[in-house]
Amino acid sequence: MPSSDVDLAFVVDDSVGADELATTLRAAGGDLVTSVELFDVYRGASVGEGRRSLAYRLRLQAPD
């Protein structure tokens, strides 16, 4: 089956590790997730002090 890429961004506290969130995304997606790649980190007034936006590209593909 062909794969599909999905981009998702999450606003989290600075205390949340990027690897921790990637692990959670892999677990939530189960067997459909073939890769999780962090491609953007944004800090600024629009996300608030002590927070950041982490953007990931997930590749999904059915194993069959």
Side-chain angles (χ1 to χ4, degrees):
M1 298 300 294
S3 65
S4 293
D5 290 348
V6 177
D7 293 346
L8 300 172
F10 301 90
V11 175
V12 297
D13 288 333
D14 282 334
S15 63
V16 176
D19 289 340
E20 179 183 352
L21 185 51
T23 298
T24 300
L25 291 170
R26 281 188 192 92
D31 292 341
L32 294 178
V33 176
T34 61
S35 69
V36 175
E37 174 188 353
L38 177 67
F39 70 88
D40 187 51
V41 177
Y42 172 78
R43 287 184 175 88
S46 62
V47 294
E49 188 175 329
R51 298 174 64 80
R52 65 184 181 209
S53 171
L54 301 174
Y56 295 85
R57 178 162 294 129
L58 282 69
R59 178 156 289 163
L60 307 170
Q61 186 172 20
D64 58 352

